[in-house]
Amino acid sequence: MITQIKRLWAAAPLATTALIGASVLALFFVIRLSVAMLLWHNSDHHEKDIEAWMTPGFISHAFNVPHEVILDAVDAPIPPPAGRMSLDEIATYRNVPITDVIAAAQAAVTAFHADRNAGNNGSANDR
């Protein structure tokens, strides 16, 4: 293999450098994608508590809840005045304690999953 690389280098050093660089870059992105996939598929990641830095969109995605449910629960301004807003920014905008906003988001997530599970259990019992 080393002899082939030496032969490629002798024939076209620029192309060989580009090929090696592209290979290293592709390997970097494959490793990065693999790590990201492992983290997102870890169920513990999705079971974490809601925190002040999270945005309604992140909560919606992480806890598998429709975006509108979270937006309604935290009473987020639509459209947001300055782009995406974290729960902390929403609390400041509404002049309420952050604990109230986090509690509202958590209650919405819990209620949504309880309703969904009740719907699934009810349809299973009807059979």
Side-chain angles (χ1 to χ4, degrees):
M1 180 154 154
I2 298 294
T3 57
Q4 290 175 336
I5 293 173
K6 286 182 180 179
R7 191 173 342 136
L8 283 173
W9 182 261
L14 230 52
T16 305
T17 302
L19 177 65
I20 291 171
S23 299
V24 168
L25 194 62
L27 182 63
F28 168 76
F29 283 112
V30 165
I31 291 170
R32 185 174 155 192
L33 176 65
S34 300
V35 168
M37 287 175 58
L38 287 173
L39 289 176
W40 274 102
H41 286 279
N42 179 4
S43 63
D44 291 343
H45 175 74
H46 300 288
E47 302 293 327
K48 297 217 181 267
D49 292 331
I50 295 176
E51 297 180 20
W53 61 265
M54 295 178 177
T55 63
F58 179 85
I59 295 168
S60 171
H61 180 76
F63 292 91
N64 197 23
V65 176
H67 193 68
E68 296 77 26
V69 170
I70 303 298
L71 289 175
D72 289 342
V74 299
D75 196 22
I78 299 173
R84 294 181 191 163
M85 295 175 75
S86 67
L87 295 184
D88 191 35
E89 292 168 334
I90 292 171
T92 302
Y93 180 82
R94 291 180 44 212
N95 292 321
V96 297
I98 183 62
T99 53
D100 291 355
V101 176
I102 291 173
Q106 187 62 54
V109 169
T110 303
F112 177 80
H113 287 297
D115 288 348
R116 190 171 69 175
N117 290 338
N120 287 343
N121 292 339
S123 63
N125 293 335
D126 293 338
R127 290 182 198 170

